[in-house]
Amino acid sequence: MVPAFCYSPRPPIAMPNLFIFFFLGCAVANQAIWCYGGATGINGAQLTSKTSTLTKLDMSNYDFFNLQFNWQIVTPNNFVLEENWLMSMTSAQNETGLFIFGGMGLGSAPVNPVITYNGQSNTWKGTTTLPTDWNNTYPFLPAVVDLSSIGRTQAWIWGGAINGTDTGISPNVQLFDYNANTWSSSAQATPGGSIRYYHTASLSNDGASIFVLGGTSMRPGQVGESPIDMTEVWVFSTANGQWITVTGSSDTKLLGRQYHTAVTSKLEKKRSEITTRRVFLFCD
């Protein structure tokens, strides 16, 4: 899975027409990397404007020894994508579809806070409804995780600040069923009653846990506090909805990170024949 969001002071992705895209969302679907929205600049210039551009890079026969970045501009079938940036985006439906949440839109909020793409039927759908305990607001840059790999047609959404502010959103985990187009929530207490924003979340390979890393801690309804130590990992159980805190160890000092990305990697440890679980972080 491609991380949902990444910010870098250097130009991160060069797209068609020599534009540089910042604050965009990217994810994998149907053996391609899809990227949507963001702000544009040219040749490292300052940000110019938001965009609604949707592009994809075919990875089905990609030659990693002869790198070619042939991005294609895609026009959605019977659906208009609005200009948007700073959204959360992830794969869905076992990497055959996409789930896009939030962003800044043309003003302070997009017309469709939720957009889904079904790659099997090549159909797009926008949703305007939001969970009732968000009180007609929605979070800015929450962590989003697709649960289709454990047999659930849901996206897991948690954390973030109320859009356009530095005030914490409700600590409840929200679940969006992209088949039924409905919301549900889990109200289990978070560690210390706090939430995070500018954080990441990654599903373990066995689907039992979601690892929340980095970001900034805050209390719901209050402004942000200080960056979280990277060794303080919050773990959410997909089975019972309970949270625990795990303290990691490191040989080097790990600075707190925000706006980073994280991907779970499956690695084999031959000497013990046990599949290990690692989460790779990139940028901040």
Side-chain angles (χ1 to χ4, degrees):
M1 182 183 73
V2 173
F5 173 79
C6 179
Y7 165 75
S8 172
R10 297 189 179 92
I13 297 181
M15 295 294 193
N17 301 323
L18 300 179
F19 279 93
I20 305 300
F21 284 51
F22 301 76
F23 305 125
L24 69 166
C26 293
V28 168
N30 291 334
Q31 299 185 60
I33 298 174
W34 299 66
C35 292
Y36 160 58
T40 59
I42 301 178
N43 297 328
Q46 294 182 342
L47 306 187
T48 56
S49 62
K50 300 174 188 176
T51 179
S52 61
T53 301
L54 177 70
T55 60
K56 73 174 182 179
L57 178 65
D58 185 1
M59 303 294 291
S60 57
N61 295 297
Y62 198 77
D63 183 358
F64 286 91
F65 296 97
N66 182 26
L67 299 180
Q68 299 291 326
F69 297 101
N70 298 316
W71 291 91
Q72 302 173 354
I73 295 178
V74 179
T75 301
N77 183 34
N78 296 321
F79 188 82
V80 177
L81 288 170
E82 63 184 294
E83 295 178 4
N84 201 0
W85 67 339
L86 292 166
M87 75 291 289
S88 300
M89 182 169 172
T90 189
S91 305
Q93 303 163 337
N94 292 307
E95 295 191 356
T96 65
L98 300 170
F99 180 85
I100 304 169
F101 181 82
M104 297 299 287
L106 287 172
S108 61
V111 175
N112 294 299
V114 175
I115 297 174
T116 56
Y117 170 63
N118 186 321
Q120 296 175 321
S121 61
N122 191 30
T123 56
W124 294 81
K125 181 171 62 176
T127 301
T128 59
T129 57
L130 291 169
T132 56
D133 57 353
W134 280 351
N135 297 319
N136 295 317
T137 64
Y138 70 95
F140 172 67
L141 286 178
V144 176
V145 175
D146 174 48
L147 301 180
S148 61
S149 64
I150 56 175
R152 294 160 62 174
T153 59
Q154 295 173 315
W156 179 98
I157 303 170
W158 181 78
I162 295 175
N163 199 35
T165 74
D166 288 324
T167 304
I169 196 76
S170 162
N172 295 348
V173 167
Q174 305 296 337
L175 298 168
F176 182 79
D177 190 312
Y178 41 74
N179 280 357
N181 206 44
T182 57
W183 291 92
S184 59
S185 65
S186 171
Q188 300 288 353
T190 58
S194 297
I195 63 171
R196 299 190 189 192
Y197 75 124
Y198 304 148
H199 56 297
T200 57
S202 302
L203 184 67
S204 63
N205 290 311
D206 59 10
S209 305
I210 294 176
F211 304 110
V212 174
L213 300 170
T216 296
S217 173
M218 68 171 76
R219 294 276 183 174
Q222 299 181 357
V223 297
E225 301 168 7
S226 58
I228 294 286
D229 191 308
M230 292 302 295
T231 60
E232 184 181 329
V233 182
W234 291 3
V235 183
F236 177 85
S237 169
T238 58
N240 59 27
Q242 299 285 337
W243 289 91
I244 62 171
T245 299
V246 175
T247 302
S249 60
S250 176
D251 296 332
T252 59
K253 180 176 177 58
L254 295 177
L255 299 176
R257 293 195 173 199
Q258 302 179 55
Y259 298 106
H260 55 290
T261 60
V263 177
T264 305
S265 177
K266 186 174 182 179
L267 299 175
E268 294 290 334
K269 201 170 184 179
K270 293 183 179 179
R271 62 181 181 181
S272 60
E273 296 183 354
I274 297 176
T275 300
T276 60
R277 294 179 294 182
R278 300 186 182 185
V279 177
F280 287 93
L281 299 178
F282 178 73
C283 89
D284 60 6

